[in-house]
Amino acid sequence: MLKINEHYLKLQASYLFSDIAKRVAAFQHAHPDKNIIRLGIGDVTKALPPACIAAFHRAVDEMAVDSSFRGYGPEQGYAFLREAIAQHDFQARGAEISADEIFISDGAKCDTGNIQELFSSEARVAIPDPVYPVYLDTNVMAGRTGAFADGRYQGLVYLDSTAENNYVPKLPNEPVDLIYLCFPNNPTGSTISKAELKTWVDYAKANKALILFDAAYEAFIRDESLPHSIYEIEGAREVAIEFRSYSKSAGFTGTRCAYTVIPKECAAYDSAGNKQFIHPLWNRRHCTKFNGVSYPVQRAAEAVYSDEGKAQCKALISGYLENADLIAAAVKELSFDYIGAANAPYVWIRCKRDSWEFFDMLLNKAGVVCTPGAGFGKCGQGYIRLSAFNSRENVVKALERIRQALA
Ligand code: MLT
């Protein structure tokens, strides 16, 4: 008799964004004439930058001719893209990352979800609350938690991110091995200073722990004193893995391209206490389970680093940030406390009632989809997240409808 992985039975309902999509689809089915504006999932709405499209087309044309056709590429990604990343995203900011420390993939969701496979099932895991659910659910699937009780999985160390700590969690007061951090933060839009991030790097070094740093939203940073990469912090190369994505920075949610950085010094330990470098392990996993991102997509991603590509991505991001500013201004005018928007495409709003109740009210009365904060963890109860990823017109319309719904 085949037995299932029973850890899956501990998972709560379905994946948050699938759950929301189902509720919205049911609402649309019941109200076919209602126009719904989606400020829920952080999915981009603007077309790919023209520089990326041109590169994409050229690469597709290369695939149409035997002499320039390409079959399997390197699993880790083509050198042209890895070199552009190392130079523009890291070396230009004084972070010493080399091309061969970069692994191209089809998404930061997959990478942040898969990376935990490399670590022992006994690893003590610290996870922020509220949190992007992928970090949490993949550790549940892997059996690193107990049952779900009172809004939390047993066996995890939760790092509360609340108004009291300005949504930047404090160091844990019990030992942990694996630490998930995400800044600018999803879902709260909060940011971390270099000094605060250094305390985490120092903690990881002192405790032989590892930080999984999700920097998928770094392109939205406007305050130049903030770190774009954890490798801007001294000592981080030994204790941190970083995840980046073109989804939000260049509109690639449907195109799929991202990357993970694993410095050569970055290590964990075997049961005899010997240091084991993570780079070769991830390389082994990547080569076994992944055949690389398609050539045209990698060419399109490379174009992000051309002069035109940089300018076009900047314009895309500025457009979304202006939406975020509009959302923040409206929320303030409606007398809600909020954080985010300044350096992130999300606005995290204290909604003064149950998150799902507010979600239902907004959907029913305003035809606007938000993300209920409770879906991101216990500390998210009483909050909702609004995403700035939509057209200006839709954001303005949604805000007007929200004003009317709350009048
Ligand atoms: C979100 O809305 O939190 C993100 O779009 C989810 C994701 O990037 O997978």
Side-chain angles (χ1 to χ4, degrees), residues 17 41-42 132 186 217 248 346 385:
F17 294 105
I41 190 167
Y132 178 45
N186 180 16
Y217 296 93
K248 318 293 158 90
Y346 298 125
R385 189 193 74 178

